[in-house]
Amino acid sequence: YIQDFESATPPKMPLCTSAVNASEGSANWFIENNPGYGFNSNTLTYLSPADDIDANAWFFTQGINLEAGKDYTISYRYGGASTDDFYYNNSLKVMYGNGANPISMNETIADYPNFSLDAPVAQSINFTPTSTDVYYFGFNVYSPNNSYYMFIDDIIVDNKLSNNQFNTADFNYYPNPVKDVLHISY
């Protein structure tokens, strides 16, 4: 699964994804093109309003089929718009569960409380589901009020590929070098 937000028409969410504001405030995730701070394409963006309500907004991926006991990796980039530790601290939690809603998010992958960043940080985290099911990944901004911007981009969920059972003796490809068409057989 890859979500780089390039298929979205800002400020709308990409198809099959959703955003939920679980607080009483007015702010929610939206897509912004080239917001800066190291994010230079369509990017998932949260802007804290100038009110007294703490953030509690969620972005949910589409459902992804995962197998029990299989090792997976989720990677993404996240960041903010300030290195001012006093004013603009952000907090982000990454979770997964069986529904695209806050109540269904029951497995925590990562928690980044009170960070101040003005450039992207790339993360790659391994996890193993305990049951085979359709899972949704939730990105929850729970920053204090007036925390300014938070950004997320380049979400990838992938299984760790293993070549222990791949017999290279039976793998054939031609021509090498390739110009227009590559033939592959196994």
Side-chain angles (χ1 to χ4, degrees):
Y1 173 80
I2 297 173
Q3 183 54 263
D4 61 6
F5 304 101
E6 296 309 309
S7 67
T9 302
K12 295 179 182 178
M13 291 291 134
L15 292 177
C16 302
T17 67
S18 60
V20 173
N21 181 1
S23 73
E24 294 179 16
S26 60
N28 205 351
W29 291 104
F30 61 96
I31 305 302
E32 184 175 15
N33 185 266
N34 194 18
Y37 304 98
F39 295 91
N40 54 13
S41 61
N42 279 2
T43 303
L44 184 63
T45 303
Y46 178 87
L47 174 58
S48 178
D51 58 23
D52 291 332
I53 299 172
D54 294 342
N56 187 11
W58 289 83
F59 167 77
F60 297 105
T61 66
Q62 71 183 52
I64 303 168
N65 292 312
L66 302 179
E67 295 179 35
K70 198 172 201 178
D71 294 329
Y72 292 89
T73 301
I74 183 169
S75 59
Y76 48 88
R77 295 184 317 132
Y78 74 98
S82 175
T83 58
D84 186 337
D85 288 336
F86 184 72
Y87 287 106
Y88 300 121
N89 287 350
N90 280 297
S91 297
L92 174 67
K93 192 176 286 188
V94 181
M95 302 179 77
Y96 70 104
N98 298 105
N101 60 68
I103 295 170
S104 298
M105 296 289 110
N106 51 21
E107 296 292 331
T108 301
I109 292 177
D111 192 1
Y112 311 103
N114 298 316
F115 66 85
S116 294
L117 299 168
D118 66 353
V121 173
Q123 285 291 11
S124 183
I125 299 170
N126 299 325
F127 67 98
T128 306
T130 57
S131 62
T132 298
D133 210 335
V134 174
Y135 290 96
Y136 299 82
F137 291 83
F139 293 79
N140 175 225
V141 54
Y142 64 99
S143 304
N145 64 319
N146 299 320
S147 292
Y148 208 39
Y149 281 100
M150 184 186 296
F151 308 108
I152 296 173
D153 203 359
D154 302 326
I155 301 169
I156 299 173
V157 178
D158 199 5
N159 64 324
K160 293 182 176 181
L161 297 176
S162 172
N163 63 0
N164 295 345
Q165 298 174 357
F166 187 77
N167 182 355
T168 58
D170 294 332
F171 181 73
N172 296 301
Y173 58 94
Y174 67 91
N176 187 11
V178 67
K179 181 176 180 184
D180 293 320
V181 176
L182 174 66
H183 299 271
I184 299 173
S185 65
Y186 179 73

